[in-house]
């Protein structure tokens, strides 16, 4: 097996603790649009999908315009996403710095929009470690389709066997598997340990990522 050269990271639930603001926004969107109530756990299972993909999965059989849901969500998210609402998980900055110092290329592939991602990267102090970013609006196909991983590898000149995809949901793990990479599930985010069993590795703390890099 080739030595790991690139790590492709999810953002929400992997690097940034956005769960509270996402749940508040989803529940607010459901209420504002007069949709059937959904539990927090049901909403959590939607994290990792693009916004326009959520209605069909969260409200199957309901004729809900995906763009209306997405526009309402984005407006409310911008209201709730005040300074300090989102923080990095423990050990993220230190671990990313150590991995970069070891010569690894660090990128992000997220369902979040590119503009939102880059704002978080800047505001949370990740500009010096993350070198390439793909948001949900940068690709035609969302997770678990491997397009984001395939494009990252192609544009940066790496092979699947040189990459590890890291994420907190089954969508991240299957995206990596579908692209032929190894995968690492983080258990502290929005997915459950049981949902991440297809991952090559599972870690309970982001710092443990250092230990699995060959």
């Amino acid at each position: 097996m080739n030595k790991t050269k690139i790590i492709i990271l999810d953002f929400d639930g992997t690097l940034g603790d956005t769960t509270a603001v996402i749940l508040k926004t989803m529940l607010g969107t459901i209420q504002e649009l007069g949709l059937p109530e959904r539990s927090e756990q049901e909403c959590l299972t939607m994290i990792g999908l693009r916004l326009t993909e959520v209605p069909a999965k969260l409200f199957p059989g309901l004729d809900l315009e995906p763009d209306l849901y997405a526009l309402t969500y984005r407006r409310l998210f911008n209201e709730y996403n005040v300074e300090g609402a989102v923080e990095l998980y423990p050990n993220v900055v230190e671990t990313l710095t150590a991995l970069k110092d070891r010569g690894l290329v660090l990128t992000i592939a997220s369902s979040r929009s590119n503009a939102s991602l880059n704002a978080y990267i800047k505001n949370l102090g990740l500009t010096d470690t993350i070198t390439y970013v793909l948001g949900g609006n940068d690709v035609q196909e969302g997770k678990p389709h491997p397009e984001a991983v395939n494009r990252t590898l192609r544009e940066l000149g790496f092979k699947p066997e040189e990459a590890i995809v890291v994420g907190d949901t089954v969508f991240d793990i299957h995206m990596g598997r579908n692209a032929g990479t190894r995968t690492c599930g983080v258990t502290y985010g929005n997915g459950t340990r049981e949902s991440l069993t297809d991952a090559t590795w599972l870690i309970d703390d982001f710092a443990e990522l250092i230990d699995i890099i060959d």
Side-chain angles (χ1 to χ4, degrees), residues 50-60 62 64-66 69-70:
R50 293 191 290 189
L51 291 178
T52 52
E53 296 173 326
V54 170
K57 292 188 177 295
L58 193 56
F59 305 100
L62 192 65
L64 172 61
E65 174 57 46
Y69 175 89

Side-chain angles (χ1 to χ4, degrees), residues 53-130:
E53 296 173 326
V54 170
K57 292 188 177 295
L58 193 56
F59 305 100
L62 192 65
D63 187 19
L64 172 61
E65 174 57 46
D67 288 336
L68 175 61
Y69 175 89
L71 286 170
T72 305
Y73 179 99
R74 290 190 182 102
R75 175 172 53 79
L76 291 177
F77 185 87
N78 288 335
E79 293 179 15
Y80 301 148
N81 186 35
V82 296
E83 185 176 354
V86 173
E87 296 182 349
L88 295 174
Y89 284 104
N91 302 314
V92 165
V93 171
E94 299 88 343
T95 302
L96 292 179
T97 300
L99 291 169
K100 182 183 178 183
D101 289 345
R102 288 173 58 173
L104 281 95
V105 174
L106 306 175
T107 77
I108 291 177
S110 171
S111 298
R112 178 176 295 282
S113 72
N114 186 286
S116 179
L117 273 177
N118 278 292
Y120 276 134
I121 290 169
K122 178 181 178 181
N123 294 336
L124 295 173
L126 300 180
T127 305
D128 291 338
T129 52
I130 302 297

Side-chain angles (χ1 to χ4, degrees), residues 158-210:
F158 294 103
K159 303 173 184 177
E161 56 268 28
E162 296 172 327
I164 295 176
V165 170
V166 182
D168 68 311
T169 72
V170 64
F171 307 117
D172 301 308
I173 302 308
H174 287 176
M175 175 180 67
R177 286 171 59 90
N178 290 338
T181 75
R182 291 165 292 163
T183 57
C184 177
V186 302
T187 62
Y188 53 77
N190 299 305
T192 63
R193 178 177 289 271
E194 292 73 24
S195 70
L196 299 171
T197 54
D198 286 340
T200 313
W201 299 279
L202 289 179
I203 58 175
D204 300 317
D205 185 306
F206 193 75
E208 295 174 38
L209 186 58
I210 293 176

